[in-house]
Amino acid sequence: MGFPTSRKALVIILHEIYGLNEHILAFGDKVSRTDYEVLTPDLLQREPFPYEQEEEAYSYFVHQIGLDRAVDEVSRIVQEHRKRHDRIFIIGFSIGATIAWRCTETGIDGIVGFYGSRIRNYAEMEPMCPSLLFFASNEKSFDVSELAEKLEYCRNTNVHVIEGEHGFMNPYTKSYLPQAYQGCLEMSFNFLRRIEEGNCS
């Protein structure tokens, strides 16, 4: 039995290294209350890591999952749902944002990425769809302003640097910034709507 066809746009939400936790599920619930259908795949296929186990979560993702494998899995999900939706978008957080950036050649219609630090390793890549990227101004591992400047020259790419730390969109961490959360959420929805209306290049 086939899946029913939906004219609604699909938003695929990609989690951080911690897995499919309450932050991602809550964000998915918020998005689902709009005109979008939502999919929140569990790329770890296990219970989420608590935030205090950052090193363990990172090690698990690197050694048990791997970025290339995660990109392949998301690409498979996109292709599986492509015929049933007029539009498919990806919203990713941290490593999920980097996966989204890597998936722009899979036939998706747009991505939104929040603090995808590892995008710096793929900054020479030209995204094939409209891409909205948000970075935190305070990152320990790289120069955010340098990366943002480089990405601004990429086709289809719009970059915003938010005064804050990695995780400013996560209400369950100390880095959370409520005002930035609301502002970025509004910009993100406006961005997706412009694509649907054909007004975003």
Side-chain angles (χ1 to χ4, degrees):
M1 181 175 180
F3 291 96
T5 299
S6 172
R7 299 335 307 170
K8 282 188 175 183
L10 173 68
V11 177
I12 300 171
I13 301 173
L14 301 181
H15 58 67
E16 303 167 288
I17 57 172
Y18 302 103
L20 191 57
N21 58 17
E22 54 189 355
H23 161 45
I24 300 300
L25 293 174
F27 188 84
D29 182 63
K30 181 177 289 289
V31 176
S32 69
R33 283 184 249 135
T34 65
D35 291 331
Y36 299 110
E37 290 190 14
V38 170
L39 186 63
T40 52
D42 181 1
L43 300 177
L44 299 191
Q45 291 297 307
R46 54 152 288 160
E47 70 278 2
F49 288 90
Y51 294 119
E52 57 269 21
Q53 291 184 3
E54 179 180 0
E55 290 186 9
E56 291 89 340
Y58 178 79
S59 177
Y60 184 89
F61 184 87
V62 169
H63 296 106
Q64 302 298 322
I65 308 300
L67 187 60
D68 290 342
R69 179 179 163 192
V71 169
D72 288 344
E73 174 61 14
V74 174
S75 298
R76 184 195 65 76
I77 292 170
V78 170
Q79 295 309 312
E80 179 183 344
H81 290 82
R82 180 74 270 181
K83 293 182 180 179
R84 301 195 299 278
H85 298 276
D86 289 335
R87 301 279 190 180
I88 295 181
F89 303 114
I90 299 179
I91 299 178
F93 294 86
S94 196
I95 196 63
T98 302
I99 295 169
W101 179 255
R102 289 272 310 273
C103 284
T104 62
E105 297 180 346
T106 62
I108 56 176
D109 298 282
I111 71 163
V112 178
F114 294 101
Y115 33 85
S117 305
R118 293 293 169 179
I119 288 176
R120 69 185 186 273
N121 296 333
Y122 307 94
E124 306 302 325
M125 199 186 86
E126 291 280 353
M128 301 300 292
C129 66
S131 304
L132 177 62
L133 302 177
F134 296 95
F135 292 96
S137 60
N138 301 323
E139 288 278 4
K140 300 175 183 177
S141 54
F142 69 101
D143 187 325
V144 175
S145 59
E146 181 180 330
L147 175 61
E149 184 177 356
K150 183 181 294 186
L151 291 172
E152 282 285 7
Y153 288 98
C154 290
R155 176 182 58 179
N156 294 325
T157 307
N158 194 343
V159 181
H160 295 272
V161 177
I162 306 300
E163 288 297 324
E165 297 182 353
H166 194 103
F168 62 83
M169 289 291 291
N170 188 341
Y172 299 90
T173 68
K174 62 181 181 180
S175 301
Y176 176 55
L177 298 175
Q179 189 172 356
Y181 179 97
Q182 293 300 327
C184 291
L185 197 63
E186 183 176 341
M187 280 191 281
S188 298
F189 283 139
N190 288 338
F191 172 75
L192 299 184
R193 290 189 190 103
R194 287 199 305 273
I195 295 175
E196 291 191 89
E197 294 166 359
N199 296 324
C200 189
S201 59

